[in-house]
Each structure stands twice: as structure tokens, then as C-alpha cells.
Amino acid sequence: MMGGIKAQYDCVKALSETDFFADLKAIDVPVLIMHGLDDQICPFEASGAKSVKLVKHGTLKTYPGFPHGMPTTHADRINADLLEFVTASRVTDATAA
């Protein structure tokens, strides 16, 4: 709510008019896809569900009732899950080496 209107408009324009799904196919490291199931900006079926199918090493974590801004509204939960994923990925990388 504190950003400039031109920057906000350009952001929404770029996100709504650009297909980023092809980029996901090129990612070859572990990826955590986190998605709130009450996201009204990027509905799960059109983004999270599709994204996890395109990355090579994807893990999907959904959050019932969480909105688009879940990193802000539910920061404690999101940060804990991110830390768990990164820590687990580091352990997996160390044992694979």
C-alpha cells in the first residue's frame, strides 16, 4: 500500500501478461512451492498446482485459508517451513556428495 502507483501498475501488468511457466522447466535444484489455498490473486489451480509439475525437483506445500500475502500475514509459519526445507535440502546434498 506504500508503493508508487506506476510501479504497482507495471508489476501487475508484467505478472499478468508474462508466462513464466517455461522458465520453471529449466530449474534443476530443489524447489519449494508454497501456496495459500485462499489466494485470490494467483489461484492455486492456475499457478501452484501447475508450477510443481514443471520443476524437476519440486516440493509442494499448501496452506488452507492462507491468502496471497501469506509471507506477511503468516510469517512465523512460512519462515519455519522455509527453514525446514533449506535445512533438509542441505542434509540431502551433504549425503549425496
Side-chain angles (χ1 to χ4, degrees):
M1 298 305 290
M2 295 176 60
I5 191 66
K6 174 72 168 109
Q8 292 175 355
Y9 173 82
D10 288 346
C11 178
V12 170
K13 181 174 174 40
L15 287 174
S16 64
E17 296 178 2
T18 306
D19 182 357
F20 295 103
F21 289 118
D23 296 336
L24 295 174
K25 295 175 184 176
I27 299 172
D28 62 358
V29 296
V31 175
L32 176 61
I33 296 173
M34 307 168 90
H35 206 104
L37 295 180
D38 196 29
D39 188 333
Q40 302 297 307
I41 307 299
C42 299
F44 174 72
E45 295 77 16
S47 54
K50 187 173 180 180
S51 296
V52 75
K53 293 177 183 174
L54 297 174
V55 295
K56 293 177 180 81
H57 309 287
T59 299
L60 176 64
K61 184 138 181 96
T62 58
Y63 300 88
F66 282 28
H68 184 75
M70 67 184 191
T72 300
T73 61
H74 297 82
D76 290 344
R77 173 79 182 275
I78 298 303
N79 288 333
D81 289 347
L82 281 169
L83 181 60
E84 179 182 337
F85 178 77
V86 170
T87 303
S89 293
R90 290 182 70 197
V91 169
T92 302
D93 290 344
T95 48

